[in-house]
Amino acid sequence: MANECNIRVVCRFRPLNDSEEKSGSKIIVKFPPDTEDTIVIAGKVFVYDKVFRTDATQEMVYGATAKEIVEDVLSGYNGTIFAYGQTSSGKTHTMEGLIGDEKYQGIIPRIVQDIFNHIYKMDSSLEFQIKISYFEIYMDKIRDLLDVSKTNLSVHEDKNRVPFVKGATERFVTTPEEVFECIEDGKSNRHIAVTNMNEHSSRSHSVFLINVKQENQETEKKLSGKLYLVDLAGSEKVSKTGAEGAVLEEAKNINKSLSALANVISALADAKPYVPYRDSKLTRILQESLGGNARTTIIICCSPASYNEPETKSTLMFGQRAKTVKNVVCVNEELTAEEWKRRYEKEKDKVARLKGQIAKAEHELERWRKGESVGAEEQIKLNFESIDLETLASSTSLSAISSLSLSSSTTQLTTNNSKTEQKQLSNIVSSEWIKEKEVLYSQLDEKDDEINNQSQMIEKYSIQLQEQEELINQLRKENDDLQNRISSLEIDNESQKEEVKEVLKALEELAMNFDQKQQEAESKGKENESLSNELEKRLSNLKSIEEELETLKEVASSQRKRILDMMVLLLKDLMEIGTIIGTDLNNSPTIQQVNIENVEEDFTMTRLFVSKLKGDVRILVNKCSHLDEQKLDTEKMFEQKKGEIEELKLSLVQNEARLKSQQEYSRDIDAKKRKLEEELDLTREELAKVKALSGTNDEQVIHKALNAQLETHVEQLKKQLKELRNENNSIQENFLKLQDEYQNFKIAHDKLQNDYEKLKKEDSERITKYNELQTQQDLREQAKHDLKGLEETVAKELQSLHNLRKLFVQ
């Protein structure tokens, strides 16, 4: 059931600080002696729920403002406590204080300790779950104080349109000490600065959220409550604080958010249709605390000094407006199917009582209409006040029944219908009641099925989530490997780019040389023109000069062709080197300038260097082939050793079987031996009996004959016993031999196993070497492909140079 309650506002004044006393400020606030809820400033009276004077202790403030909210939160209600006031007015001291100090600790540590103390005293059948979040609103951005990497969180709404901070860290706690550790972690990450009015001025609004969920294990009743503990940053006047730079920007944002909070309070106090919650993230988070589902207490902190009189009046006016705001609070309860059924049965009983009272009233009305007199004792007293009509109105089925019953009574009063109509109406009501009951039970069944399906889906999704996490971890590992490969390829690419740059430099030098030659050719042309003029005058010398020029041109063209051929041969050799090995050609000799006189020496030196590189490459190729042969040999040896191990294992199994058969045989011999010894003992006993019975000569003869038979029988038994002993000895000798052979086989098996492991390691090492060589071979192929393209471009450039030179010769 929802209840309305006003926001509770308390006022606290701090003592004068050192700077105010030095500046000569005086206390301008008056406290009437007979009341604890009134203050007077400049002749104006302000009334609040509680007023704390300058000598109030932290314990007094907590007991009067926050102690009741602990019980409310544990009963399923939401609660909010926040401190409002100008900078350096004591808000942080009131909310936090000195944690761990019994005298000076503030509301937050005391309320945490009180919550756990209440939980320890409650019924053992209740199971509690406590989560905390700690974040700040800095520069109108929500920043998680428990995880500083979350710097710009957003505010969303849940399915019930209740705002919450999405992505904020939630920590489960079980003791007050764990909560205090989280508070210390968050305080170390909070923004503070030094101003002229406060050495530790908060530059952000901090929000400490405690979420308490409880479940009764016996009745399965679930309750939840949220407690917002907010320490607002103080409003500032730049002329007093002396804020500059970043501190000034922080002050602007603080004043802007506090102005949005004042606008929300003003809109709620004036009952305006639109409340600007979305103007600031602070008001968006506190939407449920201001005019919503929460028991809210505002602590307005003020300075009594005359220096801060305008700010103090503004704060008091804010508290006076906030006191008129009403919240609609209700228990955050999650009902079970049994609880719904119980409430349904309760409402059903109430409806039955109402119907009984209405029927009695109708009967009394009929008696009055017939002219009968009804005494005061017989008159019906309808007591509708004892029945919760609001709960009846919450159910559509019950409202329909009540409307039907009331409409039937009014029609009877006006139309005087007969009893048959009453019966029809009651039948209609009962039939509709049964239908509504069936619908409700069917809805309960559907809800149970939906709950079961949801639980199964949750389990399925949890399994899928685990699989996805494993897949993500695997993909991350693969991504790391790919990143390493990409980095190596980038390094190779950079080296190739450097080689290409060097080749381009060489081409640029060739182009420069060509330009120089072209300029020289132009100058020569001019000279030829002057010479042609002179040759016209001297016809006799013209023919000889032309012949000499032709010979010189032929020599120059032949030399240029030779240089070009040598350059092409050199590039081809370098390309062969690139195809064989992907080495760095940065240190290879490059032709900077074409010198016709020394070109043959440079060419021979380059060819020698190229031949040396070819020899090194051939050695590497031979090593690779040798490693491949060794790999094949080791694989063959590995297969051979594996066959030997299998044979040894087979022989070992055979020897074990033979050993078991020999042991069984020896056991049989021992049993026969014991049996013969028992027979010998029996015969001796019989012989002793016969000796005792023998008295006459005949008996002595018989006795002798029996003795002779017995002796022969005993000798035979002794022979058999001796043979059995010899067999047993031979079996034991065989057993010892087999045991020695088994030990030898075992040693040989262990040795072969060690050899097998060594060969396996060598094989793995060779495989790794082979893979490395394979990667090198791939790199060589890539270099070969790149150098082919480079060769084509160089050949084209050389061809163009050659064509230009031909034109120049012509």
Side-chain angles (χ1 to χ4, degrees):
M1 184 184 296
N3 296 319
E4 282 190 353
C5 65
N6 287 75
I7 292 178
R8 195 163 180 265
V9 181
V10 300
C11 180
R12 184 182 190 185
F13 283 88
R14 63 165 174 81
L16 294 176
N17 56 31
D18 294 336
S19 62
E20 291 169 346
E21 289 178 352
K22 289 178 182 178
S23 62
S25 294
K26 297 180 181 179
I27 296 176
I28 58 171
V29 182
K30 295 180 181 179
F31 302 98
D34 298 334
T35 61
E36 293 183 353
D37 58 357
T38 307
I39 56 172
V40 180
I41 180 170
K44 188 172 182 179
V45 179
F46 295 91
V47 180
Y48 303 102
D49 293 291
K50 183 75 175 177
V51 175
F52 295 101
R53 303 185 181 186
T54 57
D55 57 349
T57 62
Q58 295 279 68
E59 187 175 359
M60 290 170 60
V61 174
Y62 172 74
T65 58
K67 201 161 189 176
E68 295 178 358
I69 292 182
V70 174
E71 296 179 359
D72 293 336
V73 171
L74 294 177
S75 300
Y77 291 98
N78 296 331
T80 302
I81 301 173
F82 68 87
Y84 178 89
Q86 73 171 118
T87 184
S88 74
S89 59
K91 299 181 297 300
T92 304
H93 176 72
T94 300
M95 294 302 295
E96 296 180 3
L98 297 177
I99 297 176
D101 192 321
E102 289 294 329
K103 184 177 180 182
Y104 293 108
Q105 65 182 355
I107 289 174
I108 293 176
R110 290 177 187 272
I111 209 167
V112 168
Q113 192 68 51
D114 214 0
I115 286 172
F116 281 97
N117 290 337
H118 275 74
I119 289 172
Y120 297 151
K121 293 176 184 178
M122 294 179 79
D123 193 358
S124 59
S125 62
L126 295 175
E127 181 180 317
F128 287 89
Q129 186 185 75
I130 301 175
K131 294 187 292 185
I132 63 168
S133 298
Y134 199 13
F135 50 88
E136 68 175 359
I137 303 170
Y138 175 70
M139 303 288 283
D140 206 30
K141 291 182 179 180
I142 301 174
R143 180 172 172 268
D144 198 333
L145 294 176
L146 300 179
D147 186 0
V148 293
S149 62
K150 302 175 181 178
T151 55
N152 192 8
L153 302 176
S154 57
V155 182
H156 289 250
E157 290 184 350
D158 60 11
K159 61 182 180 180
N160 297 323
R161 301 188 64 81
V162 177
F164 71 97
V165 179
K166 186 177 181 180
T169 303
E170 292 184 335
R171 291 188 184 178
F172 290 90
V173 292
T174 56
T175 60
E177 288 76 17
E178 293 180 3
V179 181
F180 296 151
E181 288 178 4
C182 296
I183 293 172
E184 292 297 332
D185 292 342
K187 284 176 66 178
S188 63
N189 297 323
R190 191 179 176 187
H191 286 84
I192 58 172
V194 179
T195 65
N196 293 339
M197 297 185 68
N198 194 352
E199 293 183 358
H200 301 282
S201 177
S202 300
R203 312 310 297 166
S204 64
H205 311 298
S206 70
V207 180
F208 188 73
L209 173 60
I210 303 175
N211 193 342
V212 181
K213 292 184 179 181
Q214 59 177 294
E215 181 179 359
N216 194 321
Q217 299 296 322
E218 295 177 356
T219 62
E220 296 183 356
K221 184 179 180 181
K222 295 180 181 179
L223 299 176
S224 62
K226 292 181 181 179
L227 178 59
Y228 286 90
L229 303 171
V230 185
D231 178 17
L232 298 177
S235 59
E236 297 183 5
K237 275 190 176 181
V238 179
S239 60
K240 291 184 177 181
T241 59
E244 295 178 352
V247 179
L248 179 59
E249 292 298 323
E250 292 169 351
K252 289 179 182 177
N253 280 280
I254 290 169
N255 290 336
K256 181 181 177 182
S257 61
L258 292 176
S259 177
L261 176 63
N263 292 336
V264 169
I265 294 292
S266 178
L268 291 170
D270 297 338
K272 292 182 179 179
Y274 172 71
V275 181
Y277 288 114
R278 295 181 180 271
D279 288 355
S280 172
K281 290 188 177 179
L282 174 64
T283 54
R284 188 82 174 105
I285 292 171
L286 297 178
Q287 182 172 345
E288 282 293 294
S289 306
L290 304 173
N293 178 21
R295 296 187 187 274
T296 303
T297 299
I298 301 177
I299 304 172
I300 54 172
C301 299
C302 304
S303 168
S306 57
Y307 178 70
N308 296 318
E309 182 178 357
E311 290 84 358
T312 301
K313 286 182 178 179
S314 175
T315 303
L316 294 173
M317 290 296 294
F318 173 84
Q320 201 167 33
R321 285 194 303 271
K323 197 174 183 304
T324 61
V325 177
K326 292 184 179 181
N327 289 351
V328 180
V329 296
C330 61
V331 178
N332 302 314
E333 183 178 6
E334 184 179 345
L335 298 177
T336 61
E338 293 295 329
E339 187 69 21
W340 283 113
K341 288 181 181 178
R342 198 177 299 113
R343 291 195 176 189
Y344 174 77
E345 295 295 334
K346 185 177 179 182
E347 298 299 329
K348 183 179 176 181
D349 294 339
K350 288 181 180 179
V351 171
R353 288 199 300 273
L354 276 174
K355 288 172 70 176
Q357 290 182 3
I358 290 169
K360 290 178 181 179
E362 289 173 352
H363 180 65
E364 182 181 344
L365 183 61
E366 287 180 0
R367 290 179 62 187
W368 283 107
R369 286 174 178 168
K370 291 177 181 180
E372 297 179 7
S373 62
V374 181
E377 296 176 356
E378 296 179 355
Q379 291 178 2
I380 301 299
K381 294 181 181 180
L382 298 176
N383 187 11
F384 290 103
E385 294 179 357
S386 62
I387 297 169
D388 190 1
L389 295 177
E390 290 182 3
T391 56
L392 289 173
S394 63
S395 174
T396 57
S397 62
L398 296 175
S399 63
I401 293 167
S402 61
S403 63
L404 285 170
S405 61
L406 290 172
S407 63
S408 65
S409 63
T410 55
T411 51
Q412 284 176 359
L413 289 170
T414 57
T415 59
N416 293 326
N417 288 332
S418 61
K419 292 183 179 180
T420 57
E421 291 178 353
Q422 293 178 2
K423 289 181 181 180
Q424 290 177 358
L425 190 59
S426 62
N427 292 330
I428 291 168
V429 171
S430 61
S431 63
E432 289 185 359
W433 171 253
I434 292 167
K435 288 179 181 178
E436 289 290 336
K437 183 178 178 182
E438 290 176 354
V439 169
L440 287 172
Y441 276 121
S442 64
Q443 289 177 357
L444 286 172
D445 295 335
E446 289 175 359
K447 289 293 181 183
D448 291 335
D449 296 336
E450 186 177 354
I451 289 167
N452 293 328
N453 293 330
Q454 290 294 331
S455 61
Q456 291 175 2
M457 290 294 290
I458 288 168
E459 291 178 358
K460 183 179 178 182
Y461 287 145
S462 63
I463 294 168
Q464 290 180 358
L465 183 61
Q466 292 176 359
E467 292 176 353
Q468 290 295 326
E469 287 177 352
E470 292 176 356
L471 182 61
I472 288 167
N473 293 327
Q474 186 178 0
L475 290 173
R476 282 177 181 170
K477 291 180 181 177
E478 292 177 356
N479 188 18
D480 294 335
D481 295 336
L482 289 173
Q483 289 293 335
N484 294 327
R485 290 183 183 178
I486 288 167
S487 60
S488 62
L489 289 173
E490 285 177 353
I491 293 167
D492 294 337
N493 189 17
E494 291 295 330
S495 63
Q496 294 294 331
K497 283 181 180 178
E498 290 177 357
E499 293 177 1
V500 171
K501 285 179 182 178
E502 290 180 356
V503 174
L504 291 173
K505 285 181 182 178
L507 290 172
E508 288 175 357
E509 290 174 356
L510 289 172
M512 292 290 289
N513 292 329
F514 176 74
D515 293 334
Q516 291 176 0
K517 292 294 182 183
Q518 191 173 6
Q519 290 175 359
E520 290 176 359
E522 290 176 355
S523 62
K524 291 290 183 183
K526 290 178 181 180
E527 290 176 359
N528 286 329
E529 289 178 358
S530 62
L531 288 171
S532 63
N533 294 325
E534 291 178 359
L535 285 172
E536 288 177 357
K537 296 177 181 179
R538 298 176 182 181
L539 293 171
S540 60
N541 295 326
L542 180 61
K543 292 179 181 180
S544 60
I545 292 169
E546 286 179 354
E547 289 175 358
E548 287 177 359
L549 284 171
E550 287 176 357
T551 54
L552 288 171
K553 286 179 180 178
E554 288 175 358
V555 171
S557 62
S558 63
Q559 285 180 354
R560 288 191 186 95
K561 286 180 181 179
R562 187 177 177 185
I563 289 166
L564 289 171
D565 294 333
M566 289 164 61
M567 291 282 288
V568 170
L569 290 171
L570 179 60
L571 289 171
K572 285 182 179 179
D573 292 335
L574 288 173
M575 289 304 297
E576 289 176 1
I577 293 168
T579 56
I580 295 169
I581 180 168
T583 56
D584 190 4
L585 298 177
N586 293 331
N587 299 323
S588 62
T590 58
I591 299 171
Q592 304 257 331
Q593 293 179 354
V594 179
N595 193 353
I596 295 171
E597 296 177 356
N598 298 326
V599 72
E600 291 182 356
E601 294 179 1
D602 295 336
F603 180 70
T604 53
M605 291 295 291
T606 308
R607 291 298 297 269
L608 289 171
F609 180 73
V610 170
S611 62
K612 185 180 178 182
L613 288 175
K614 283 183 180 179
D616 293 336
V617 171
R618 288 191 183 93
I619 291 167
L620 287 172
V621 172
N622 292 328
K623 284 183 180 179
C624 291
S625 61
H626 183 64
L627 286 172
D628 292 334
E629 290 175 359
Q630 286 183 354
K631 182 181 176 183
L632 293 173
D633 294 337
T634 51
E635 287 178 353
K636 289 179 182 178
M637 190 181 294
F638 176 74
E639 294 294 334
Q640 186 179 357
K641 292 293 183 182
K642 193 172 181 182
E644 291 178 359
I645 288 168
E646 294 294 333
E647 290 176 358
L648 287 172
K649 284 183 180 178
L650 182 61
S651 61
L652 186 64
V653 171
Q654 291 176 356
N655 288 328
E656 287 178 352
R658 288 170 59 192
L659 185 63
K660 286 182 181 178
S661 62
Q662 292 292 335
Q663 287 176 354
E664 290 176 357
Y665 184 66
S666 62
R667 290 193 195 97
D668 294 336
I669 290 171
D670 290 335
K672 288 180 181 179
K673 179 181 175 182
R674 285 194 295 272
K675 187 175 180 182
L676 290 171
E677 288 176 352
E678 288 175 357
E679 289 178 358
L680 181 61
D681 292 334
L682 289 171
T683 52
R684 285 178 179 173
E685 288 177 359
E686 289 177 358
L687 182 61
K689 288 179 182 179
V690 170
K691 284 181 180 181
L693 292 172
S694 62
T696 58
N697 292 327
D698 295 333
E699 290 176 352
Q700 289 178 356
V701 173
I702 294 166
H703 180 63
K704 287 179 181 180
L706 290 170
N707 284 333
Q709 290 179 358
L710 286 170
E711 287 175 357
T712 54
H713 186 62
V714 168
E715 288 177 357
Q716 291 176 357
L717 290 173
K718 285 180 179 180
K719 287 179 181 180
Q720 291 178 358
L721 185 62
K722 188 175 181 180
E723 290 175 356
L724 289 172
R725 283 176 180 171
N726 293 328
E727 288 179 0
N728 190 13
N729 291 328
S730 64
I731 288 166
Q732 286 181 354
E733 290 175 357
N734 292 328
F735 175 74
L736 293 172
K737 287 180 182 179
L738 289 171
Q739 196 168 10
D740 293 336
E741 290 178 358
Y742 174 73
Q743 292 294 331
N744 292 328
F745 279 129
K746 192 173 182 181
I747 292 165
H749 179 266
D750 293 336
K751 187 176 180 181
L752 288 171
Q753 188 70 27
N754 292 328
D755 293 338
Y756 173 73
E757 293 295 332
K758 288 179 181 178
L759 288 171
K760 196 172 181 180
K761 286 181 181 178
E762 291 176 358
D763 186 52
S764 63
E765 290 175 356
R766 285 170 184 167
I767 287 169
T768 53
K769 287 181 180 179
Y770 179 75
N771 290 329
E772 290 175 357
L773 290 171
Q774 192 69 29
T775 54
Q776 290 181 0
Q777 187 65 27
D778 294 336
L779 292 172
R780 288 170 194 154
E781 292 293 332
Q782 185 67 27
K784 181 179 177 182
H785 181 70
D786 295 337
L787 286 171
K788 276 184 180 180
L790 185 61
E791 182 183 4
E792 290 176 357
T793 55
V794 170
K796 288 178 181 179
E797 293 292 333
L798 289 172
Q799 186 65 34
S800 63
L801 288 171
H802 184 64
N803 294 330
L804 289 170
R805 283 172 182 158
K806 279 184 178 180
L807 290 171
F808 170 68
V809 171
Q810 291 175 0

